[in-house]
C-alpha cells in the first residue's frame, strides 16, 4: 500500500470518528436532563437553594428584601362587573393563568358575611344522629354550598352535626357567591325548599330572611369578588436542553416543594397546618405518568400563586418571584409570560405593588387573603 493510500485511510478514519462523535454529542444534547445531573458534590447548597433561602420569612437581609408591592392592566381587569348573572372567572394577571384547586382540610363554619343563614328552632334538644339522618342527599343548592349547623348543648359552639352530641338550636345556610356567580332567585328558592324539608324532618321552625334583600347582597358581594380575584403565575422555559420530570422535581424539592395529589404537580406548603399551599409548580401530567418519566422531555413548567388563598404574611409574591429566579438559574431556563416574553424586573415590581393594593382591599372587607371566608368566596 502506497503512502498516499495510507494517508487517505487515516483521513477517512478520522472523518468517520468525527461524525460518530458529533452524532453522539447531538444525541446527548437533545436528551432531557435527568435528576442525577448537576448535584453539588461538596455538600454546599445548590444555586437554586441559596437563592431561595433569601426569600424565607425572617431570612431576608436589608438589601435583599422585596416587599410584595398586579400592574395597571390587572387593576383594569379587576373592575369588571358581572352583576351576578354569568359565571365569574378570576381577574387574570397578564403573566399566565394556572388554576390551582385546593380541597380544604376542614369546611369552615357558616358566616353571615358570605352566607344566607336561616335559624331553625327545634322544640327541644336534638341528637346529632337525628340531624345527620335528616340531612339532604346533596349539600349544594345550584352551584352554591349548602350546610346545616347545630349549637352544641354543652359548649354553646356552632358546629356540623356529630354523632353522640345534642344540639339546642340549628341553622341552615347557603353561600351568597363563589366563582360560579351570585346566588340567584331560583337558587334561593331551592335553598328554602331544602331547609324547610330538613326543618320538618327534625321538628324545627325555620325563619327565612327576605329573598330580595339576600339576592341583592349576593350580587354586591359577587361584584366585589369579581374585581379582586387574581391568580398569578410565571412560566419557566428551557434555554437549551429539555428537562425530565425527575430533574424538575429534584430542584423544586430543594426549595421545599413536595409532590401534589395530581400527577405533574408539586406544591410549597404553608407554614400552618390546614393552610392552602403557598405556590404550585405544574408540568405536563402525561410526562409524569410515562412508562419511563426520565425519558420524557419538558421544555416548560409553570409556577402559580392563588393570590386570595394565601395570607400576605407568607410573602407569597416574594417567594414566587425568587423561586422562579432560583429554578431558572439552576436549570438553565428563563422566566417568561405565557406568550414567551421575558419578564423584566420592572414588570415584576409593578405586579408586586398592585398586589399590595389588592391585599388592602380584601382586608378592608374582612376577607383577608388566606382567611376561611376568602378561600370559600374565591372558589
Amino acid at each position: 500500500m502506497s503512502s498516499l493510500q495510507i494517508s487517505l485511510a487515516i483521513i477517512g478514519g478520522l472523518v468517520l470518528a468525527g461524525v460518530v462523535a458529533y452524532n453522539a454529542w447531538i444525541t446527548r444534547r437533545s436528551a432531557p436532563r435527568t435528576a442525577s445531573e448537576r448535584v453539588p458534590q461538596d455538600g454546599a447548597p445548590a444555586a437554586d437553594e441559596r437563592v431561595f433561602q433569601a426569600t424565607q420569612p425572617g431570612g431576608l437581609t436589608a438589601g435583599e428584601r422585596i416587599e410584595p408591592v398586579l400592574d395597571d392592566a390587572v387593576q383594569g381587569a379587576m373592575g369588571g362587573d358581572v352583576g351576578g348573572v354569568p359565571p365569574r372567572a378570576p381577574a387574570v394577571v397578564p403573566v399566565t393563568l394556572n388554576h390551582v384547586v385546593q380541597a380544604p382540610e376542614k369546611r369552615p363554619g357558616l358566616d353571615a358575611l358570605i352566607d344566607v343563614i336561616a335559624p331553625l328552632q327545634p322544640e327541644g334538644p336534638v341528637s346529632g344522629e337525628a340531624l345527620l339522618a335528616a340531612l339532604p342527599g346533596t349539600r349544594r343548592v345550584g352551584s352554591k354550598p349548602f350546610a346545616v349547623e347545630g349549637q352544641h348543648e354543652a359548649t354553646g359552639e356552632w358546629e356540623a352535626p356529630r354523632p353522640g352530641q345534642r344540639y339546642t338550636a340549628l341553622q341552615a345556610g347557603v353561600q351568597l357567591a363563589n366563582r360560579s356567580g351570585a346566588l340567584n332567585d331560583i337558587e334561593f328558592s331551592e335553598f328554602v325548599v331544602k331547609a324547610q324539608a330538613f326543618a320538618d324532618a327534625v321538628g324545627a321552625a325555620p325563619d327565612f330572611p327576605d329573598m330580595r334583600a339576600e339576592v341583592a347582597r349576593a350580587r354586591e358581594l359577587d361584584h366585589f369578588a369579581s374585581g379582586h380575584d387574581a391568580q398569578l403565575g410565571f412560566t419557566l422555559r428551557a434555554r437549551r436542553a429539555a428537562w425530565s420530570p425527575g430533574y424538575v422535581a429534584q430542584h423544586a424539592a430543594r426549595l421545599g416543594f413536595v409532590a401534589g395529589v395530581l400527577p405533574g404537580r408539586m406544591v410549597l406548603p404553608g407554614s400552618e397546618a390546614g393552610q392552602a399551599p403557598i405556590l404550585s409548580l405544574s408540568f405536563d401530567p402525561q410526562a409524569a405518568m410515562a412508562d419511563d418519566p426520565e425519558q420524557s422531555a419538558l421544555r416548560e413548567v409553570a409556577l402559580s400563586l392563588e393570590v386570595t388563598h394565601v395570607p400576605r404574611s407568607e410573602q407569597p409574591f416574594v417567594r414566587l418571584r425568587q423561586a422562579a429566579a432560583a429554578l431558572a438559574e439552576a436549570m438553565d431556563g428563563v422566566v417568561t409570560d405565557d406568550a414567551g416574553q421575558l419578564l423584566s424586573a420592572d414588570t415584576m415590581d409593578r405586579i408586586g405593588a398592585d398586589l399590595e393594593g389588592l391585599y388592602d382591599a380584601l382586608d378592608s372587607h374582612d376577607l383577608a387573603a388566606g382567611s376561611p371566608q376568602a378561600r370559600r368566596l374565591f372558589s
Side-chain angles (χ1 to χ4, degrees):
M1 180 179 293
S2 68
S3 59
L4 176 61
Q5 290 174 318
I6 293 175
S7 299
L8 291 174
I10 292 173
I11 293 172
L14 291 174
V15 171
L16 179 61
V19 170
V20 172
Y22 177 77
N23 287 337
W25 177 75
I26 289 295
T27 301
R28 170 66 175 170
R29 187 179 180 185
S30 62
R33 291 177 174 173
T34 61
S36 61
E37 296 185 36
R38 298 179 64 176
V39 177
Q41 300 299 318
D42 57 1
D48 51 354
E49 194 171 6
R50 292 196 302 271
V51 174
F52 194 70
Q53 282 172 350
T55 73
Q56 307 306 308
L60 293 168
T61 67
E64 291 172 324
R65 178 163 184 154
I66 304 173
E67 290 294 340
V69 284
L70 305 165
D71 63 30
D72 296 339
V74 177
Q75 291 187 344
M78 288 181 173
D81 179 12
V82 296
V85 180
R88 164 161 56 83
V92 181
V93 175
V95 178
T96 185
L97 175 64
N98 292 289
H99 181 58
V100 181
V101 179
Q102 171 68 16
E105 290 73 15
K106 181 180 179 181
R107 185 189 64 79
L110 294 172
D111 190 308
L113 181 66
I114 60 171
D115 293 302
V116 175
I117 298 179
L120 312 174
Q121 187 57 52
E123 296 177 356
V126 186
S127 69
E129 288 83 356
L131 298 181
L132 291 171
L135 287 174
T138 60
R139 308 296 167 79
R140 299 193 73 81
V141 170
S143 62
K144 312 298 183 297
F146 168 86
V148 170
E149 292 181 341
Q151 189 171 34
H152 197 279
E153 184 177 40
T155 67
E157 299 292 329
W158 289 96
E159 64 179 29
R162 294 183 294 140
Q165 309 301 317
R166 290 169 61 83
Y167 301 93
T168 56
L170 308 171
Q171 60 186 14
V174 61
Q175 196 163 310
L176 285 165
N178 57 16
R179 282 179 175 158
S180 296
L183 185 79
N184 57 39
D185 293 1
I186 295 176
E187 290 174 324
F188 186 92
S189 298
E190 184 180 342
F191 163 66
V192 170
V193 170
K194 185 167 289 191
Q196 181 70 64
F198 174 81
D200 291 344
V202 298
D207 181 13
F208 295 106
D210 179 71
M211 181 179 74
R212 294 264 57 87
E214 293 301 299
V215 170
R217 194 161 69 95
R219 289 176 177 169
E220 181 179 357
L221 180 62
D222 181 65
H223 176 65
F224 170 80
S226 297
H228 297 83
D229 194 356
Q231 297 168 314
L232 179 64
F234 299 148
T235 300
L236 302 176
R237 301 181 188 272
R239 289 179 184 271
R240 289 178 284 271
W243 310 312
S244 70
Y247 184 77
V248 173
Q250 178 188 57
H251 286 285
R254 289 179 182 151
L255 306 184
F257 284 81
V258 298
V261 176
L262 302 176
R265 182 169 183 259
M266 300 181 72
V267 296
L268 182 66
S271 60
E272 298 181 6
Q275 183 177 301
I278 299 172
L279 303 176
S280 176
L281 181 151
S282 58
F283 53 85
D284 182 5
Q286 296 300 320
M289 295 187 296
D291 292 337
D292 186 359
E294 290 303 282
Q295 295 304 311
S296 299
L298 300 172
R299 299 210 61 84
E300 66 178 49
V301 299
L303 270 171
S304 56
L305 162 64
E306 186 87 357
V307 176
T308 55
H309 286 211
V310 184
R312 179 169 19 184
S313 60
E314 294 281 8
Q315 300 182 15
F317 180 68
V318 174
R319 300 172 78 172
L320 171 65
R321 181 174 178 173
Q322 296 297 337
L327 290 173
E329 178 184 353
M331 302 194 304
D332 190 23
V334 293
V335 183
T336 75
D337 62 14
D338 57 356
Q341 299 297 314
L342 294 177
L343 294 173
S344 67
D346 287 344
T347 298
M348 292 191 181
D349 287 344
R350 289 196 300 271
I351 293 171
D354 288 341
L355 276 177
E356 278 294 287
L358 184 146
Y359 286 130
D360 290 341
L362 291 173
D363 290 345
S364 68
H365 283 72
D366 296 324
L367 291 166
S371 66
Q373 296 88 348
R375 289 176 62 182
R376 288 177 57 202
L377 178 63
F378 299 104
S379 65

